[in-house]
Amino acid sequence: MQRRLDDDGNAEWLPSPGGLVTAMEGVTNRQSTAWIGWDGTADVPAEEPSSTDLITVVPIPMTSTECSAFYHGLSNGALWPLYHDAIRRPSFNDEDWDAYRTINRRFAETAAAWVAPGGMVWVHDYHLQLMPAMLRALRRDVRIGFFLHIPFPPPELFLQLPWREDVMKGLLGADVIGFQEPAAASNFAALSRRLGLAQGDLPVLQYGDGYTARRLRVDSYPASIAVEAFEAASTDPEVLAEAEELRARLGHPKKIVLGVDRLDYTKGIEARLEAFRTMVVEQSLTAEDVTMIQVAVPSREDVDLYRQEREHVERIVGEINGQLGMVGAPLIHYLYRSLGRQELLAMYQVADVAMVTPFRDGMNLVAKEYVASRRDDGVLVLSEFAGAARELDRAVLVNPFDGRALVNALTKALAMNADEQRDRMQYLRRAVKAWTASDWASRFLDDLAKPCDVPFADELTLEGP
Ligand code: ADQ
């Protein structure tokens, strides 16, 4: 959520812009909705809820000590790296865990106070994995859904977590648990069985025995984007004018390569820059031939690993421009800031190649946004380890851990002829249009609305349940 002051200087709270908010619009105008969230600031006095036309926004306060332990510590120092294949070593700390429990309880109590009798609560992401069971203990009448935006790791990794049973029991408090990919749902089911917590086969598990036994749905619901909004950009005169201006400012290079990411060590920015450097050297290219724009959105700047990542990325950018650029013509244009929507759309328009090469990513919406913004050309180079690779399987798929493969993929993308670009892009656009953000939200909420004791549609046979 973000805090804004109105004309009279009073604070009002609004959900931060993004795919989730767009996806939820179709839901929030169907029924009265409360959005319970934290805006990322600490030590701010508790604010009153505020209402917009669609929703009531309920801010959750946090002290700086809680923020540091709950958000930087447990959520981003332990769970984030662990769930991303432990590509950085997770750090486990009991005090952080205590804060994680405290904040999850705060969210659960607030939700319990706001949800209507028999209503639904949709809990989002790895910060709030204990909340489903906590909320269930307070409000047995409500339906609880949980969606994880990031990968769910295989059992061998998850079992490293000192509080593994607590987290699993927290999640199993939900009626529907959604993941980005089928593999994540399988990992979760395998863990539930291995820890003796639940039985059954996907998509329905049974949790508990006898009287307390309960059935829950565990399934995949790939996150998506508001496709129409990105499609419209390719014919929007203002976006096209901004794209033209951008191309001119870059000096009209023959090819433009784009990377857009939160600055995060999971996104593979350094490896991508190295591949770009190698490709330029091998082919003796100049900034007139090819230019790269790398946008890095500031993220989790209070966490050491993120500060280090920023230093590494900026050092490589400096080295490449220092070695290979010319005065007035750097090879890499690097921005460390958030972009306005129109600026981002203009970048998607000028990019001949978009490189989306995370080491691990739950989905990656940038890949879908690029495709939705294009018409008949442009090449997407996409990591095999991004959830989006399942749907976008005619991108140039690449293993980002293999430096040579990255160079080859970039070289192939830059050399791809117009026919192949068109064939691939048309296929990718069909894939993105087939599953939008509102499909994602509707399917999840439709499943959540189904009563517990009725078999799910895919369990029914001709003979009945
Ligand atoms: P993120 O890791 O944040 O999300 P991603 O899916 O790429 O990653 O979404 C980033 C969003 O931020 C995109 O909508 C993009 O347009 C926007 N963005 C990126 N750079 C920007 C910039 N410089 N300025 C403004 N906006 C920018 C987590 C998971 C992902 C999963 C999403 C959604 O890690 O795997 O896809 O949630 O479920």
Side-chain angles (χ1 to χ4, degrees), residues 49-186:
S50 70
S51 293
T52 67
D53 290 347
L54 295 180
I55 51 179
T56 300
V57 176
V58 185
I60 297 280
M62 228 177 273
T63 66
S64 51
T65 313
E66 286 171 342
C67 161
S68 140
F70 158 77
Y71 186 68
H72 302 314
L74 208 286
S75 300
N76 290 318
L79 298 173
W80 177 271
L82 183 68
Y83 284 28
H84 287 86
D85 290 351
I87 58 171
R88 294 285 186 282
R89 193 189 164 100
S91 74
F92 302 128
N93 174 315
D94 286 331
E95 282 167 18
D96 294 348
W97 173 249
D98 289 344
Y100 188 77
R101 276 201 316 215
T102 303
I103 299 299
N104 271 255
R105 187 165 305 284
R106 190 170 299 161
F107 270 85
E109 285 168 356
T110 308
W114 276 87
V115 60
M120 297 197 291
V121 177
W122 191 2
V123 181
H124 286 267
D125 230 0
Y126 60 104
H127 319 81
L128 295 175
Q129 293 174 101
L130 304 180
M131 187 181 161
M134 288 174 169
L135 177 58
R136 179 169 295 281
L138 296 168
R139 289 286 303 270
R140 294 197 176 271
D141 59 308
V142 301
R143 302 277 298 159
I144 304 168
F146 177 89
F147 184 77
L148 186 70
H149 289 260
I150 65 175
F152 189 80
E156 315 79 77
L157 272 179
F158 184 85
L159 290 170
Q160 291 179 10
L161 187 66
W163 314 281
R164 56 204 190 181
E165 290 212 13
D166 306 71
V167 169
M168 289 298 287
K169 285 179 182 163
L171 291 170
L172 285 162
D175 295 289
V176 175
I177 305 179
F179 296 100
Q180 300 273 26
E181 291 187 88
S186 300

Side-chain angles (χ1 to χ4, degrees), residues 376-391:
D376 290 330
D377 62 357
V379 184
L380 174 65
V381 176
L382 180 60
S383 163
E384 293 166 10
F385 302 109
R390 285 191 77 250
E391 291 158 89

Side-chain angles (χ1 to χ4, degrees), residues 42 44 48 71 101 114 127 129 140 148 169 193 210 216 231 233 236 249-250 268 282 287 351 376 378 395 408 414 416:
V44 173
E48 289 302 309
Y71 186 68
R101 276 201 316 215
W114 276 87
H127 319 81
Q129 293 174 101
R140 294 197 176 271
L148 186 70
K169 285 179 182 163
R193 289 188 290 261
L216 63 140
E231 258 195 312
D236 178 336
R249 269 189 275 135
L250 292 171
E282 282 181 358
D376 290 330
N408 292 347
L414 286 167
M416 192 177 287

